Amino acid sequence: MKIISILFFITNLIFAKALIVDESHSNIGFAAKHLGITNIFGNFNSYTTEIKMKNKIPTVIIAKIDPNSVFTKNESRDRTLRSDVFFDTKNFKSIDFKMTKFQEDTVYAILTIKGVSLPIKLSYKYNGEKIDKSGTNKIGFSLYGTINRLDFNIGEKYPTELVNDEIKITIDLQLISQK
């Protein structure tokens, strides 16, 4: 049985469709509760990805996110997030995400922030496939879940009353099939 599973996985990788992210229609974002009463939303404007799919299921998701590109609509807050207290962008140039497994609408991955690598799981939703006006095939999917910021040494000096420990992650990607 194990050999059949390995052969199935290898076959999926060989015939998986390579995709590129349509950045103008995609978002890698997060939300954190402020004072326990309001969600503050942010996103990262710069990232690189490698994504492959087979039959609506991701077989490869790898992302390198530039933490310097954090954007929350407040420059002072963004500077604080780039500081050594949060993302420490002087010493850590990327946030890394690598899918390790897909199972039952869940993506399992290793997330690395500030040199701390931990397994996470995110819910997966396939949003569909369309051909746009120019004849380009587009595919959409979403990933969402939560992480604990303290597990990654993010803002450990900030009390939970100010910034909740639970950070919601929402990734919405629109992909373009490579020819």
Side-chain angles (χ1 to χ4, degrees):
M1 186 66 160
K2 194 171 190 177
I3 292 173
I4 293 170
S5 295
I6 291 169
L7 289 173
F8 179 75
F9 179 74
I10 291 170
T11 303
N12 274 345
L13 287 178
I14 292 170
F15 296 107
K17 186 186 299 187
L19 305 161
I20 56 174
V21 173
D22 179 350
E23 291 182 20
S24 66
H25 295 103
S26 297
N27 186 61
I28 295 178
F30 59 91
K33 276 267 198 239
H34 180 253
L35 299 176
I37 60 172
T38 308
N39 281 317
I40 301 300
F41 295 93
N43 63 342
F44 296 97
N45 292 323
S46 180
Y47 50 87
T48 60
T49 61
E50 177 185 346
I51 299 174
K52 293 181 182 176
M53 293 182 76
K54 173 78 172 140
N55 297 329
K56 303 178 184 180
I57 306 243
T59 57
V60 174
I61 303 175
I62 299 172
K64 283 194 157 307
I65 302 162
D66 179 359
N68 270 311
S69 72
V70 67
F71 178 74
T72 64
K73 298 191 218 178
N74 181 303
E75 182 53 40
S76 175
R77 181 173 44 233
D78 294 349
R79 276 194 304 275
T80 300
L81 288 172
R82 289 189 291 268
S83 77
D84 62 344
V85 174
F86 284 89
F87 293 123
D88 192 6
T89 61
K90 287 183 183 173
N91 292 307
F92 299 98
K93 303 299 181 191
S94 73
I95 296 169
D96 299 323
F97 178 95
K98 183 174 183 179
M99 184 179 102
T100 56
K101 172 171 84 167
F102 179 88
Q103 185 177 8
E104 298 179 19
D105 294 332
T106 302
V107 167
Y108 295 84
I110 299 296
L111 180 64
T112 303
I113 304 174
K114 288 179 71 173
V116 177
S117 298
L118 294 171
I120 65 166
K121 63 181 185 176
L122 300 174
S123 296
Y124 170 81
K125 182 175 185 301
Y126 179 79
N127 296 324
E129 187 169 348
K130 299 276 183 187
I131 297 176
D132 69 10
K133 292 179 191 177
S134 68
T136 303
N137 191 45
K138 304 275 183 109
I139 299 168
F141 72 80
S142 300
L143 299 171
Y144 49 93
T146 60
I147 62 168
N148 186 312
R149 68 182 172 93
L150 299 177
D151 291 345
F152 294 93
N153 302 322
I154 298 172
E156 53 266 72
K157 295 178 185 175
Y158 278 70
T160 300
E161 296 77 32
L162 186 59
V163 178
N164 196 348
D165 297 343
E166 186 177 274
I167 306 298
K168 296 175 186 173
I169 297 174
T170 304
I171 301 169
D172 289 295
L173 298 177
Q174 187 172 107
L175 307 163
I176 302 167
S177 292
Q178 291 181 321
K179 305 226 189 249

